[in-house]
Amino acid sequence: MYDSNDLDNPINDFTTDAYGNYKSSVPLENLPNFIVVKFTGGIDISTGKEIKLDLSNIVAKPSSENKTVNVTIFSTIKEKIVQNRATNEIITTDTITTAEQKMSSSFGINPGDDNKDFINENDVNTAKKTQQLLITFETLNNSIGDEYVNQNNIVDSLVNYIDEDTNT
């Protein structure tokens, strides 16, 4: 977990269980206004395949200790748009809302769907689009065959395109 204005220094490290659940040990009063939850590696429970890209989500400081922050490919795209659009590295709720709208309109999902547990909620639309994106990233990565190009680079390129294409 990171302060959204300092992605180089984690404020909390944790490991998920077999279902991707995790707990932070940082008291709410010690959290910054906006946090980034980031995961690297692991196994996708919906496919059983190794995850070869970093997944993240940016959210406002939770109001309760039991807040669930889901991390998906869509929340990752939103978080990266937020970081691209942060003015003088200042992130606001409006920055997150704008990024969420750009992401949702680009992929035909509802705003907020990036934050939901689409597997447990049986959201077939979001699940299908997630799988399409992950397959596309894997296919591009394998097709390019360059050791310096990975799925994170591909996601970054997609985010830059979405942010430029929908620039408002």
Side-chain angles (χ1 to χ4, degrees), residues 1-93:
M1 180 183 328
Y2 297 82
D3 180 325
S4 63
N5 292 314
D6 183 6
L7 299 179
D8 294 324
N9 299 298
I11 55 176
N12 190 213
D13 286 326
F14 38 74
T15 302
T16 66
D17 65 17
Y19 299 101
N21 299 312
Y22 60 93
K23 280 240 186 240
S24 170
S25 60
V26 179
L28 285 177
E29 60 271 8
N30 294 346
L31 291 175
N33 289 335
F34 297 97
I35 59 168
V36 173
V37 177
K38 182 176 180 180
F39 295 112
T40 303
I43 302 296
D44 182 337
I45 61 172
S46 67
T47 65
K49 291 184 176 183
E50 179 184 1
I51 298 171
K52 295 183 179 179
L53 69 138
D54 299 337
L55 296 173
S56 57
N57 197 353
I58 185 167
V59 295
K61 178 179 180 173
S63 58
S64 81
E65 297 282 342
N66 296 322
K67 168 81 171 154
T68 299
V69 178
N70 291 305
V71 179
T72 68
I73 189 58
F74 292 116
S75 67
T76 301
I77 291 168
K78 175 190 70 180
E79 186 267 329
K80 289 178 177 285
I81 293 171
V82 168
Q83 296 298 341
N84 281 356
R85 297 183 69 78
T87 306
N88 298 325
E89 298 183 12
I90 296 174
I91 294 171
T92 65
T93 303

Side-chain angles (χ1 to χ4, degrees), residues 40-168:
T40 303
I43 302 296
D44 182 337
I45 61 172
S46 67
T47 65
K49 291 184 176 183
E50 179 184 1
I51 298 171
K52 295 183 179 179
L53 69 138
D54 299 337
L55 296 173
S56 57
N57 197 353
I58 185 167
V59 295
K61 178 179 180 173
S63 58
S64 81
E65 297 282 342
N66 296 322
K67 168 81 171 154
T68 299
V69 178
N70 291 305
V71 179
T72 68
I73 189 58
F74 292 116
S75 67
T76 301
I77 291 168
K78 175 190 70 180
E79 186 267 329
K80 289 178 177 285
I81 293 171
V82 168
Q83 296 298 341
N84 281 356
R85 297 183 69 78
T87 306
N88 298 325
E89 298 183 12
I90 296 174
I91 294 171
T92 65
T93 303
D94 288 341
T95 311
I96 295 174
T97 300
T98 299
E100 189 173 78
Q101 290 168 344
K102 285 177 170 284
M103 184 277 310
S104 64
S105 67
S106 294
F107 294 103
I109 65 173
N110 296 319
D113 282 358
D114 61 294
N115 290 318
K116 73 196 262 187
D117 183 347
F118 58 86
I119 294 172
N120 283 334
E121 293 183 28
N122 293 317
D123 181 344
V124 175
N125 180 52
T126 304
K128 282 182 182 179
K129 290 182 180 190
T130 297
Q131 288 307 312
Q132 289 170 346
L133 277 174
L134 293 174
I135 289 168
T136 300
F137 299 152
E138 183 177 5
T139 301
L140 284 169
N141 189 48
N142 292 337
S143 299
I144 293 170
D146 184 329
E147 66 182 286
Y148 299 107
V149 176
N150 59 41
Q151 291 186 32
N152 290 319
N153 303 130
I154 294 166
V155 172
D156 289 343
S157 294
L158 176 64
V159 166
N160 290 336
Y161 176 78
I162 290 169
D163 203 23
E164 288 174 11
D165 188 51
T166 60
N167 203 359
T168 55

